[in-house]
Amino acid sequence: MWSLDLLDPQATWVTHASMRHPRNHIGAAAIGGKFYAIGGQLLELEGCSNQDAAEVYDPATDTWTDLPPLPQPLGHITPSTFAVDGAGIVIISGVTDKSSGCSPPGKVLRQALYYNPTAAVWYTMGFKVKGASMVSGVIGNHVYVIDRDNELQRVEMLVTTD
């Protein structure tokens, strides 16, 4: 992993500890001064190599720690993974393994996941939008998603840390 001090105009990129489970197409979010790496896939094998790994990086110790795995392997969640009020992480839809073969596309999902880092628990919620790599974010209690037809969808979703 790499970092750059944006407040130092003379700064250069600094190398840090590598993830425990290398992969691509991961989701990521920063909460409480820590960096979370979630899901992903191996190589270009979208149909059969999605990962359920989740881990957190602590810059104070330069170490990665495994978290509870995702409820199912997920990839193509980079733009649809985000922190909510610094209290949790939301993942919108994504891709999981299909029943046979490794070539793209994988099985596209219609779901939302919420991770509570205090309780170290994943919650699965139904969701009306199906897709992979959908740009998403939250404003207030509304999740905004740009779906695969480039339509902006607004979804009421109660996100709490309870």
Side-chain angles (χ1 to χ4, degrees):
M1 188 166 96
W2 297 80
S3 71
L4 178 67
D5 183 347
L6 297 176
L7 298 177
D8 180 357
Q10 305 301 317
T12 59
W13 287 95
V14 177
T15 305
H16 298 280
S18 296
M19 289 188 303
R20 296 166 55 90
H21 310 283
R23 55 213 190 270
N24 59 55
H25 291 86
I26 66 171
I31 296 177
K34 295 182 179 179
F35 183 77
Y36 292 76
I38 303 162
Q41 71 183 42
L42 303 176
L43 306 172
E44 297 295 321
L45 305 175
E46 178 185 318
C48 67
S49 73
N50 293 288
Q51 303 294 298
D52 65 359
E55 52 194 314
V56 61
Y57 175 77
D58 184 344
T61 60
D62 192 33
T63 57
W64 289 89
T65 302
D66 287 338
L67 299 172
L70 288 162
Q72 67 188 41
L74 281 179
H76 288 271
I77 55 173
T78 304
S80 62
T81 301
F82 51 91
V84 179
D85 292 333
I89 299 169
V90 171
I91 302 171
I92 301 297
S93 298
V95 173
T96 194
D97 295 348
K98 56 188 181 180
S99 57
S100 65
C102 289
S103 62
K107 180 181 175 187
V108 180
L109 301 173
R110 182 187 323 264
Q111 71 175 13
L113 296 177
Y114 177 75
Y115 180 70
N116 179 329
T118 303
V121 175
W122 288 100
Y123 299 95
T124 302
M125 301 171 278
F127 203 70
K128 75 176 199 171
V129 181
K130 178 180 178 180
S133 299
M134 295 186 298
V135 175
S136 308
V138 68
I139 300 171
N141 284 334
H142 292 96
V143 173
Y144 292 85
V145 177
I146 299 176
D147 68 17
R148 61 185 176 191
D149 297 322
N150 290 318
E151 299 285 330
L152 180 64
Q153 303 284 333
R154 185 182 104 163
V155 180
E156 185 80 24
M157 187 166 121
L158 180 60
V159 177
T160 68
T161 57
D162 298 335

